[in-house]
């Protein structure tokens, strides 16, 4: 493998990390956590799209709702964005965890993994929880 080019596609002085990148239906898709700083609540998920890898546009800013264990109006912190191209659809798997809490409280609030799906690269489903209290890490397409 040889790296052919490197581009900064988004920079706003915030914490932008935990990226996923895919090519689907003739476009690039980039998803990442966007927050004030590392481990700072709340963090949302940005998704950018590009026809050529040079010019990028914000497609979505997704906020993951908090379970009842958090105060009303709270939101989860998103991270670990992984795309999986299943030929006819593109899936984005993400992890939603509680906002930064002291270590002794961090695992008292449920966390979950989600999936969002598109078949056309334009319309995406809302995040749907698919795994409670766990992280679906780097899903792959294997043997059909």
């Amino acid at each position: 493998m040889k790296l052919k080019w490197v581009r900064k596609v988004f920079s706003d002085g915030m914490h932008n990390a935990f990226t996923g990148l895919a090519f689907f239906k003739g476009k690039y898709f980039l998803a990442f956590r966007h927050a004030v700083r590392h481990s700072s609540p709340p963090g949302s998920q940005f998704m950018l799209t590009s026809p050529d890898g040079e010019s990028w546009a914000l497609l979505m800013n997704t906020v993951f709702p908090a379970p009842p264990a958090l105060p009303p109006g709270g939101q989860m912190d998103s991270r670990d964005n992984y795309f999986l191209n299943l030929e006819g659809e593109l899936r984005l798997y993400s992890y939603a965890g509680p906002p930064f809490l002291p270590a002794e409280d961090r695992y008292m609030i449920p966390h979950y993994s989600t999936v969002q799906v598109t078949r056309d690269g334009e319309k995406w489903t809302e995040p749907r929880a698919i795994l409670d209290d766990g992280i679906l890490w780097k899903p792959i397409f294997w043997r059909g």
Side-chain angles (χ1 to χ4, degrees):
M1 181 180 344
K2 183 177 179 183
L3 184 63
K4 290 186 174 186
W5 56 268
V6 175
R7 301 285 187 274
K8 182 188 293 189
V9 299
F10 187 86
S11 179
D12 64 353
M14 304 282 272
H15 181 259
N16 301 300
F18 308 110
T19 59
L21 181 66
F23 188 76
F24 180 74
K25 301 278 182 182
K27 291 189 238 177
Y28 293 95
F29 292 87
L30 174 67
F32 55 91
R33 176 186 190 265
H34 180 261
V36 174
R37 65 181 189 279
H38 183 74
S39 295
S40 69
S44 64
Q45 175 195 77
F46 274 22
M47 187 186 304
L48 308 179
T49 185
S50 171
D52 57 10
E54 296 288 339
S55 60
W56 292 83
L58 181 65
L59 180 64
M60 293 191 300
N61 179 2
T62 304
V63 174
F64 294 87
L70 285 178
Q75 74 183 63
M76 298 295 270
D77 189 20
S78 70
R79 55 189 67 229
D80 301 323
N81 299 285
Y82 299 108
F83 286 101
L84 183 59
N85 186 337
L86 294 175
E87 296 174 8
E89 66 184 26
L90 182 62
R91 297 179 183 187
L92 173 59
Y93 293 93
S94 305
Y95 166 72
F100 184 74
L101 298 168
E104 62 272 9
D105 298 331
R106 197 165 302 148
Y107 297 100
M108 300 304 291
I109 295 176
H111 48 278
Y112 55 92
S113 289
T114 66
V115 66
Q116 295 162 268
V117 180
T118 185
R119 291 185 183 276
D120 62 7
E122 301 292 329
K123 292 179 246 157
W124 288 79
T125 62
E126 291 294 318
R128 179 173 47 103
I130 57 170
L131 178 65
D132 289 332
D133 292 328
I135 301 172
L136 182 60
W137 197 268
K138 297 191 182 190
I140 62 169
F141 187 67
W142 185 66
R143 294 188 183 180

